[in-house]
Amino acid sequence: MTQPQPTAPEVSLSGVYLPEFIDDPYPLYRRARETAPVLWDPQMGDAGAWMVTGYETALTALRDPRFSARRPQWDPATAPERTASPLRALHTQVFVSDAPDHQRIRKAMSQPFLPRAVDAMRGDIERAAHRLLDAVLPCGEMDFMADYAMALPSETVCQVLGVPREDRGTVWKFILSWGLLVDEGPLSKEHPEYHLAGIGKYMDYFRGQLALRRTRRTDDLMQTVADAWDDGGFSSEEELLGNLIFLLTAGQTTTAHQIGNTVLALLAQPEVYGRVAAEPSLVPEATPEFMRYDSSVQLTRRRATEPVELGGRFIEAGEEVFVWIGAAHRDPAVFPDPDRIDLDRPRTPNLALGHGAHYCLGGRLGQLVNEIAVRTFVERVTGPGVDLSGVHRTVTPTFRGPHVMPMTFDAKETR
């Protein structure tokens, strides 16, 4: 094994928190990848971490069982009692669990995300997309995110879980805290107890919903989870609640951001947009390329459980590895001319939905919502334009996407 670990990096990916790289992180990714596809960065993680920016090295890190998804910084054993319960909920979420817990949790929640169940939702999702556009098309303007890109996955995921319509605004208030804690960047470290308190309130909400299902059965995922809890499918109440939080939050935000990223990218490349608008049937096949080009999930983390070599670097047991999915997706060794959308690009598996054992549990549903949202948009909205100065993006590089996106278009009557 070799260990050409530099004492100081030529480039640090801590720069992704600067405003210019929140808007466009890809030049920074390129500099890091050209320096080394696996690079030690002393400014990242708790005490330095490895930055993985090449496609093949990212793929290896995501499928090698010697890299754990666990996050010891969320270990509730070291936390004060007032934050221990929210930390236990975070610590047991499926995306930061390893075997055998990972498979057990997935099995308890998988029923609504099986292919047949997802395919059966297509008609409802299509009708919801048209209904949302019907409400704004006569106006000639909208906040694309609030009125469409966020509303559609929210309606879909809340329906799957069984969140009442009147509660959906309340639930959104808790989502930011979860995203900041997962990112573990500067903002989450400023007020960690505040964000953990938000997770606690989130837990209280689901605790109340599950209590209702003990007296009145419902046909939704929360009922499935309640039954799995009774049958021993979850090891603790915190594990159950934490995974409901994960499904509701990740399922809404990553899909909403992907829809926003895709439409922004299409509008920035008029030739591509024109081709898709003229032939909306291209959207399903092109959706993986849209997700590669500007993924709503840019970063995931692993930690070596034993010494391992990756991309010519020797990684010690316990060292943290940042897998930069957004950077891997622009690796020219795998994706020629990666900085443009190529509707005819030969399909190469992208990592936007994870890989291997940690492939996204709701990935099939998220991709379907994304596909329907984009196709319905290009079919029905003419002359769209976005004021880029009014676009506000998430402040975490882990989850990339707009949360405000003012749009104008040609007003017209609804169907």
Side-chain angles (χ1 to χ4, degrees), residues 144-146 148-155 172 252 256-257 402-404:
F144 179 81
M145 296 307 296
Y148 187 63
M150 289 180 177
L152 183 60
S154 176
E155 183 164 330
W172 270 105
Q252 292 183 77
H257 289 153
H403 58 84
V404 176

Side-chain angles (χ1 to χ4, degrees), residues 329-411:
H329 284 167
R330 299 290 184 101
D331 187 343
V334 179
F335 304 101
D337 198 7
D339 295 326
R340 71 179 183 91
I341 296 173
D342 182 355
L343 298 176
D344 302 311
R345 188 183 301 278
R347 181 169 297 191
T348 299
N350 69 63
L351 307 176
L353 297 172
H355 182 75
H358 278 84
Y359 184 84
C360 178
L361 178 62
R364 187 182 183 96
L365 177 58
Q367 189 159 322
L368 178 64
V369 174
N370 183 24
E371 169 198 317
I372 290 171
V374 174
R375 179 169 182 165
T376 307
F377 174 82
V378 299
E379 285 176 338
R380 298 199 59 198
V381 178
T382 56
V386 171
D387 177 6
L388 295 179
S389 67
V391 174
H392 294 209
R393 288 190 170 274
T394 56
V395 294
T396 62
T398 300
F399 304 111
R400 172 171 167 77
H403 58 84
V404 176
M405 186 171 157
M407 176 181 288
T408 58
F409 44 85
D410 297 334

Side-chain angles (χ1 to χ4, degrees), residues 190-234:
E190 286 180 6
H191 305 289
E193 290 200 8
Y194 172 83
H195 298 306
L196 287 170
I199 299 299
K201 293 175 183 177
Y202 220 165
M203 294 169 68
D204 288 341
Y205 173 78
F206 279 118
R207 194 178 280 117
Q209 286 292 314
L210 291 170
L212 292 175
R213 282 158 177 78
R214 294 190 181 98
T215 57
R216 180 178 58 83
R217 292 190 64 81
T218 56
D219 183 18
D220 53 44
L221 181 56
M222 273 197 273
Q223 185 68 63
T224 301
V225 166
D227 293 343
W229 168 240
D230 292 338
D231 294 338
F234 291 93

Side-chain angles (χ1 to χ4, degrees), residues 63 81 111-112 117 120 157 176 239 271 273 307 334 358 405:
R63 68 186 176 194
E81 184 57 34
Q111 193 65 34
V157 175
L176 179 59
E239 184 181 79
E271 290 184 5
Y273 179 82
V334 179
H358 278 84
M405 186 171 157

Side-chain angles (χ1 to χ4, degrees), residues 174-197:
F174 306 137
I175 286 177
L176 179 59
S177 288
W178 181 85
L180 290 171
L181 288 167
V182 170
D183 184 67
E184 296 188 63
L187 287 176
S188 68
K189 293 175 181 177
E190 286 180 6
H191 305 289
E193 290 200 8
Y194 172 83
H195 298 306
L196 287 170

Side-chain angles (χ1 to χ4, degrees), residues 279-294:
E279 195 175 348
S281 61
L282 291 172
V283 170
E285 283 296 313
T287 294
E289 171 68 357
F290 299 151
M291 297 173 76
R292 177 206 70 82
Y293 179 79
D294 199 10

